[in-house]
Amino acid sequence: MKTWHEIRRFPFAVQLLLVNQLGVNTGFYLLIPYLATHLGEDLGLSAAAVGVVLGVRNLSQQGLFIVGGSASDRLGARGVIIAGCALRTVGFALFALGDSLPLLLAASVLSGFAGALFNPAVRTYLAQEADARKAEAFALFSMFATTGALIGPLLGSALLLVDFRTSALTAAGIFAVLTIAQALVLPARQVTPSKGTVFADWREVLGNRAFLAFALAMVGMFNLENQLYLLLPDGARRATGWDGAAGIVFLVGTVSNLALQLRLTRALTSRGSRARWIAVGLAVMGVAFLPPALAADAAGWLGAVPVLLGALLLYLGVMVAQPFVMELVPDFGRPELTGTYFGIFYVVSGIAAAVGNTVVGWAMDTGARDDAGWLPWACCALFGLASAAGVAWLRRLGSLPTPQQSAVPATV
């Protein structure tokens, strides 16, 4: 009940964006986890063609975040959010209706570019509307996003009993409803665009060495978050021999997030600087991979316990760090460039996730071949602890903005 009370204390626009994120993640995870199977088994595409379709979607999103961020600054976040949801409606509908490679590639480009538009735009709008309560707003945002990430696969599994097209059209329908709802009721904000060109904005952000150092230090967070969909589910399946064990990993995360996220953020906000808690959260994320590493050879449900403990610790680390990360990003620069900062931050995160997953994938293959099951877990632990050390170092240098500071680009 306290959570719902906190939600009602925020402006209506924030409440709508929270519901929007629940719908976005529900629609996304309803479809995307099952796309590769549909392309390969239902449509008979080669593994190379499946890789191209999935890669194009990822590249269209991660590589174009900066476009969505700049558009939010120049045109207003509201319109960019609506355009992104509309594009994803079309993209997901094409996945349902198309079976030729050109149509599937078009669907990938549209659905990926849609995410590049509304992801930085939603965070920009949320940061602007929440004002001094950014951390709490992003904590609630995380709760709704995590819930959608659990509902989506469950709903997708049920709809796949009919067929993939039904699942894809349902996902498209969710985004269509979100598009209409935001067009009708999401309030418009006054836009004060930055003077000069878009390229000048990019140069300003890329010239902010403190921001770039922070973005690089956060590589560990995004890489380790991705292990919720790669290493941890794989570890749970290997230990139990049951494919459904991966779902328990997500269930652990959703329950802990709903129970603790807002309480943690509110408690930590008044107990030390946000940079300190970001470093602590990253350290917890790194430590989360030690129990599975120490019990890498254990089998059965006893072997799954360290994996689930690791998942719980990982979620706790994310809950500690992420709201303060999202609160901190806009404070590196001028308010007029909030979207651009988020956009570039997510471009860096996308590259980090891709490189990190490659390293973890190599470690998984090497560990399986050389009877070193601990290797990928140890790699992830090092990622998290190195990122924690990086943020702690930046904090010690005084390179990170504080809530009281004016937004002036800092240097390392």
Side-chain angles (χ1 to χ4, degrees), residues 47-142:
V50 172
V52 168
V53 173
L54 297 179
V56 164
R57 193 210 67 78
N58 192 60
L59 181 62
S60 299
Q61 178 162 320
Q62 303 291 356
L64 296 176
F65 272 129
I66 189 172
V67 175
S70 292
S72 300
D73 292 333
R74 296 276 170 166
L75 306 175
R78 177 183 180 273
V80 178
I81 293 169
I82 294 169
C85 285
L87 277 180
R88 184 154 282 181
T89 301
V90 176
F92 280 6
L94 283 179
F95 276 130
L97 303 174
D99 54 10
S100 66
L101 187 58
L103 272 178
L104 293 170
L105 289 173
S108 290
V109 170
L110 288 175
S111 59
F113 183 48
L117 289 177
F118 63 66
N119 275 322
V122 166
R123 286 157 179 78
T124 299
Y125 200 124
L126 198 66
Q128 293 167 339
E129 283 289 323
D131 198 20
R133 299 179 64 203
K134 290 186 186 73
E136 290 180 50
F138 280 112
L140 289 168
F141 188 80
S142 174

Side-chain angles (χ1 to χ4, degrees), residues 48-412:
V50 172
V52 168
V53 173
L54 297 179
V56 164
R57 193 210 67 78
N58 192 60
L59 181 62
S60 299
Q61 178 162 320
Q62 303 291 356
L64 296 176
F65 272 129
I66 189 172
V67 175
S70 292
S72 300
D73 292 333
R74 296 276 170 166
L75 306 175
R78 177 183 180 273
V80 178
I81 293 169
I82 294 169
C85 285
L87 277 180
R88 184 154 282 181
T89 301
V90 176
F92 280 6
L94 283 179
F95 276 130
L97 303 174
D99 54 10
S100 66
L101 187 58
L103 272 178
L104 293 170
L105 289 173
S108 290
V109 170
L110 288 175
S111 59
F113 183 48
L117 289 177
F118 63 66
N119 275 322
V122 166
R123 286 157 179 78
T124 299
Y125 200 124
L126 198 66
Q128 293 167 339
E129 283 289 323
D131 198 20
R133 299 179 64 203
K134 290 186 186 73
E136 290 180 50
F138 280 112
L140 289 168
F141 188 80
S142 174
M143 292 170 63
F144 277 77
T146 302
T147 304
L150 177 67
I151 294 173
L154 295 176
L155 183 57
S157 297
L159 290 172
L160 283 174
L161 296 175
V162 183
D163 60 20
F164 177 84
R165 295 181 191 279
T166 301
S167 182
L169 288 174
T170 301
I174 290 173
F175 278 96
V177 170
L178 293 175
T179 303
I180 294 169
Q182 289 166 115
L184 292 176
V185 298
L186 187 63
R189 287 182 56 92
Q190 174 115 22
V191 181
T192 307
S194 176
K195 296 178 181 178
T197 66
V198 170
F199 292 108
D201 293 346
W202 294 356
R203 282 196 301 271
E204 180 177 331
V205 176
L206 292 172
N208 188 333
R209 290 190 292 165
F211 168 70
L212 291 182
F214 176 72
L216 290 173
M218 295 310 301
V219 161
M221 187 178 83
F222 292 104
N223 180 31
L224 298 191
E225 274 190 291
N226 268 264
Q227 302 320 310
L228 291 168
Y229 309 102
L230 177 62
L231 185 57
L232 284 161
D234 181 74
R237 283 191 294 263
R238 286 178 182 272
T240 63
W242 177 47
D243 287 343
I248 299 179
V249 171
F250 298 114
L251 183 61
V252 165
T254 302
V255 172
S256 61
N257 188 278
L258 292 176
L260 300 174
Q261 176 67 85
L262 187 59
R263 294 178 184 178
L264 265 177
T265 302
R266 293 183 67 187
L268 298 179
T269 298
S270 59
R271 292 176 172 84
S273 72
R274 53 191 173 180
R276 171 190 174 188
W277 293 120
I278 291 170
V280 169
L282 289 167
V284 172
M285 291 175 71
V287 169
F289 290 87
L290 295 180
L294 295 173
D297 297 327
W301 282 103
L302 187 61
V305 170
V307 176
L308 296 177
L309 175 59
L312 177 59
L313 288 173
L314 181 57
Y315 274 104
L316 284 173
V318 172
M319 284 188 273
V320 170
Q322 194 173 67
F324 297 112
V325 172
M326 295 296 101
E327 182 189 29
L328 186 62
V329 168
D331 288 351
F332 277 98
R334 295 182 287 125
E336 297 88 351
L337 295 182
T338 295
T340 305
Y341 273 93
F342 272 121
I344 291 179
F345 185 73
Y346 276 99
V347 168
V348 173
S349 76
I351 296 171
V355 173
N357 274 345
T358 301
V359 173
V360 173
W362 168 84
M364 291 170 70
D365 291 339
T366 303
R369 185 178 63 247
D370 298 341
D371 196 24
W374 53 268
L375 183 60
W377 306 101
C379 284
C380 288
L382 287 175
F383 275 131
L385 295 175
S387 282
V391 173
W393 177 65
L394 290 173
R395 178 183 175 229
R396 184 177 179 182
L397 290 177
S399 299
L400 303 179
T402 64
Q404 292 77 30
Q405 277 183 262
S406 59
V408 177
T411 57
V412 176

